Amino acid sequence: MATVKRTAIAGGYFIELGSKDIEIYSIASDGSGALKRVDDIQGTVRRLTEQAGLERDYNQSFRQHVARLIQHINTQEDKTK
């Protein structure tokens, strides 16, 4: 069975939600597209959630919250196209 990863790009970050891990990379601002792994995942998710105008639902796990954030980012991106 294939593994599905959810991804989104927002606020200078690349977010990836895999079957086991949540990974966030900062995207280089010099236009090179270089990625650097972010160590403070929870803090970065908190900032991106605030920027997106979402509220954290504490009835959901952190993984569910990140999935919801990715879905919201991608939905907003689709609306602007």
Side-chain angles (χ1 to χ4, degrees), residues 7 12 20 39 48:
T7 61
K20 294 183 181 181
D39 292 328
L48 292 172

Side-chain angles (χ1 to χ4, degrees), residues 12-68:
Y13 294 97
F14 175 77
I15 309 165
E16 181 178 75
L17 177 64
S19 61
K20 294 183 181 181
D21 296 327
I22 299 168
E23 296 184 20
I24 300 179
Y25 300 91
S26 62
I27 302 170
S29 59
D30 62 3
S32 68
L35 300 175
K36 181 179 177 186
R37 188 179 174 122
V38 173
D39 292 328
D40 183 17
I41 292 174
Q42 290 188 354
T44 304
V45 168
R46 188 177 307 115
R47 283 191 302 278
L48 292 172
T49 299
E50 289 174 5
Q51 289 175 0
L54 290 176
E55 289 190 28
R56 172 79 158 92
D57 181 357
Y58 289 97
N59 292 319
Q60 295 180 331
S61 70
F62 186 69
R63 288 184 58 78
Q64 289 172 321
H65 174 65
V66 172
R68 183 173 160 238

